[in-house]
Amino acid sequence: MHRVKVRVVEDALDANNTIARANRDDFDRHDVTVVNLMSAPGAGKTTLLERVLHDLPLRAGVLEGDVQGSYDADRLASLHVPVTQLNTDPGFGGECHLDANMVRSALPALPLAEIDLLVIENVGNLVCPAEFRVGEDARVMVCAVTEGEDKPLKYPLMFRTCELVLINKIDLLPHLDFDLDRLLHNLDAVHPGVKRMLVSARTGEGVEAWREWLTQLREQVPV
Amino acid sequence: MHRVKVRVVEDALDANNTIARANRDDFDRHDVTVVNLMSAPGAGKTTLLERVLHDLPLRAGVLEGDVQGSYDADRLASLHVPVTQLNTDPGFGGECHLDANMVRSALPALPLAEIDLLVIENVGNLVCPAEFRVGEDARVMVCAVTEGEDKPLKYPLMFRTCELVLINKIDLLPHLDFDLDRLLHNLDAVHPGVKRMLVSARTGEGVEAWREWLTQLREQVPV
């Protein structure tokens, strides 16, 4: 039984990867750099996006993934960047993650000819989003210090498959029983040396470094 | 296409409910009250459990659900309550939730004859755990104030299907831009009047009220 189950999962991931490559071809053809932004619910993805998109020297667009509603998309609307809402609830069975096919269904609604960078804000979840490539150039995950030091050990695939970890809510460190060294130790245990940045979406601390990272990513990705 | 997808999901949930009822029959036969404890990653389920199990006037056991590892089970071991680890990674494809079949597979390892209360700590996730009954008498969810006020609106099924919402980390309220009234308003929008308690796993504030709730749940559930 278990072997069959794993085989089915592998087949589904193979099918997903095929569609992810098609997405990637479309993004490349339009010369758009794509970031898949992931985290647990409430880690601060949207607030960090609000911060980083302000003054970003790139033409950016956002694809907002949510089970339902458009609360985050509405928040980002004031930034005057093109925001497209993608809900997993109607039509996709209320999935807890974005997959390549869902992103593909949103492509016609994305202004690919008018942007340099597309940030795909995934559904808040540390498990399944990590299993599904959507055609991105890089994965960025947000880990809030309020979530505790053990998250890399409990959700290793997420931490292992990202190119950058944003350690958010550092403004709260003085008020927490939180051991930053232990988090970094756990992070290196599952993804040795992965690029990490200490940030605060609330105060803006560290956001400029992320802005520079995005700008450099855009320059490095082969056209 | 979408209609077929939804049908497949419904069939899977029907199959799950059948197994959940079998679990419930087994729990009833052993006179065990079962709580399904859910939250986002890092909301404080395990720390709250540590607090509430201490001095609980019931014989309790814990079934720890995680994608992999036994970090939370190890933490609870010092309480001298029976803890059984259930990982979704080997054999279950790394699922982001517990389902009735996974819990059923763990039944032989649970000391049902020796406990009054079983707490099933689900995988940290606000989406899929809400879709799968596992045979529980009640659902308790933990929502940390550090996650923001919008979570009920973004993950309504989770908030709608629980009997009790523990609003955790209230010791941090003085340090957050958090509007408690707005959270409660959003909570009532998706689950009007649902029982809620303000707690702090860190300081222990409010935990006695949860302890009393669990004790009353045990008394109310028909044997």
Side-chain angles (χ1 to χ4, degrees):
Chain A
M1 273 299 279
H2 291 166
R3 197 169 298 176
V4 173
K5 178 86 183 259
V6 170
R7 179 57 181 276
V8 171
V9 171
E10 283 173 359
D11 287 351
L13 292 178
D14 278 351
N16 182 76
N17 284 338
T18 300
I19 302 173
R21 279 191 291 272
N23 291 348
R24 184 65 179 273
D25 288 345
D26 284 343
F27 294 138
D28 285 350
R29 192 163 49 248
H30 288 91
D31 187 18
V32 174
T33 302
V34 180
V35 167
N36 187 354
L37 183 62
M38 303 182 282
S39 80
K45 292 187 296 305
T46 310
T47 312
L48 277 171
L49 259 185
E50 288 179 291
R51 285 276 187 184
V52 83
L53 291 179
H54 188 75
D55 279 343
L56 186 72
L58 298 170
R59 298 175 305 163
V62 178
L63 180 60
E64 264 299 332
D66 285 298
V67 177
Q68 64 177 69
S70 61
Y71 309 99
D72 293 343
D74 296 345
R75 285 172 58 189
L76 294 172
S78 63
L79 291 170
H80 304 293
V81 300
V83 179
T84 304
Q85 180 71 49
L86 175 56
N87 284 350
T88 69
D89 205 6
F92 293 112
E95 294 286 356
C96 59
H97 58 275
L98 298 181
D99 66 20
N101 191 45
M102 296 178 208
V103 170
R104 188 141 198 86
S105 75
L107 289 192
L110 295 171
L112 295 180
E114 295 154 32
I115 58 176
D116 308 311
L117 173 74
L118 175 68
V119 179
I120 300 176
E121 186 177 341
N122 218 308
V123 179
N125 181 350
L126 288 183
V127 187
C128 299
E131 297 174 11
F132 292 86
R133 293 268 160 197
V134 295
E136 67 270 42
D137 295 287
R139 294 178 151 198
V140 176
M141 74 154 295
V142 182
C143 170
V145 294
T146 46
E147 296 165 9
E149 304 95 342
D150 60 351
K151 294 302 159 291
L153 303 178
K154 296 186 68 180
Y155 304 92
L157 187 66
M158 174 63 74
F159 287 83
R160 195 173 285 142
T161 63
C162 63
E163 275 75 34
L164 172 65
V165 178
L166 299 173
I167 301 169
N168 192 24
K169 308 196 185 182
I170 59 166
D171 56 288
L172 293 175
L173 281 175
H175 312 295
L176 303 174
D177 303 321
F178 181 85
D179 185 340
L180 183 59
D181 287 340
R182 207 166 122 224
L183 173 73
L184 298 177
H185 179 267
N186 291 340
L187 181 58
D188 281 324
V190 302
H191 194 163
V194 62
K195 180 84 176 167
R196 77 281 319 254
M197 293 176 180
L198 301 179
V199 299
S200 167
R202 188 195 200 186
T203 67
E205 187 177 347
V207 172
E208 179 55 29
W210 186 29
R211 202 178 281 124
E212 281 169 20
W213 186 90
L214 287 170
T215 310
Q216 285 178 14
L217 177 73
R218 169 66 186 165
E219 287 164 3
Q220 285 163 10
V221 171
V223 186
Chain B
M1 272 296 281
H2 292 166
R3 197 168 297 177
V4 171
K5 178 87 184 259
V6 170
R7 180 58 180 273
V8 170
V9 171
E10 283 173 359
D11 287 350
L13 292 178
D14 278 351
N16 182 76
N17 283 339
T18 301
I19 303 173
R21 280 191 291 272
N23 291 348
R24 184 65 179 273
D25 288 345
D26 284 342
F27 293 138
D28 285 351
R29 192 162 50 247
H30 288 91
D31 186 18
V32 174
T33 303
V34 180
V35 166
N36 187 354
L37 183 62
M38 302 182 281
S39 80
K45 290 188 297 304
T46 310
T47 311
L48 278 170
L49 259 186
E50 288 179 291
R51 285 274 187 186
V52 84
L53 291 178
H54 188 75
D55 279 343
L56 186 73
L58 297 170
R59 298 175 305 163
V62 178
L63 179 60
E64 264 301 331
D66 285 298
V67 177
Q68 65 177 67
S70 61
Y71 307 99
D72 293 343
D74 297 344
R75 285 172 57 189
L76 294 171
S78 62
L79 291 170
H80 304 293
V81 300
V83 179
T84 304
Q85 180 70 49
L86 175 55
N87 283 350
T88 70
D89 204 7
F92 293 112
E95 294 286 355
C96 59
H97 58 275
L98 298 181
D99 66 20
N101 191 45
M102 296 178 207
V103 170
R104 188 141 199 85
S105 76
L107 290 192
L110 296 172
L112 295 181
E114 296 155 33
I115 59 176
D116 308 310
L117 173 74
L118 176 68
V119 179
I120 300 176
E121 185 177 341
N122 218 309
V123 179
N125 181 351
L126 289 183
V127 187
C128 299
E131 297 173 12
F132 292 86
R133 294 267 159 197
V134 295
E136 67 270 41
D137 295 286
R139 293 178 154 200
V140 177
M141 76 153 294
V142 182
C143 171
V145 293
T146 46
E147 296 164 10
E149 304 96 343
D150 59 350
K151 294 301 157 293
L153 303 179
K154 296 186 67 179
Y155 305 93
L157 186 66
M158 174 63 72
F159 286 83
R160 195 173 284 143
T161 64
C162 63
E163 276 74 33
L164 172 64
V165 178
L166 299 173
I167 300 168
N168 192 24
K169 308 196 185 181
I170 58 165
D171 55 289
L172 292 176
L173 281 175
H175 311 295
L176 302 175
D177 303 320
F178 181 85
D179 185 341
L180 183 58
D181 287 339
R182 205 165 124 223
L183 173 72
L184 298 177
H185 178 268
N186 291 339
L187 182 56
D188 281 323
V190 300
H191 193 163
V194 63
K195 180 84 176 167
R196 77 280 321 253
M197 294 176 179
L198 301 179
V199 299
S200 167
R202 189 195 200 185
T203 68
E205 186 177 347
V207 172
E208 179 56 29
W210 186 31
R211 202 178 281 122
E212 282 170 19
W213 186 90
L214 286 170
T215 309
Q216 285 178 14
L217 177 74
R218 169 66 185 166
E219 288 163 3
Q220 285 164 9
V221 171
V223 185

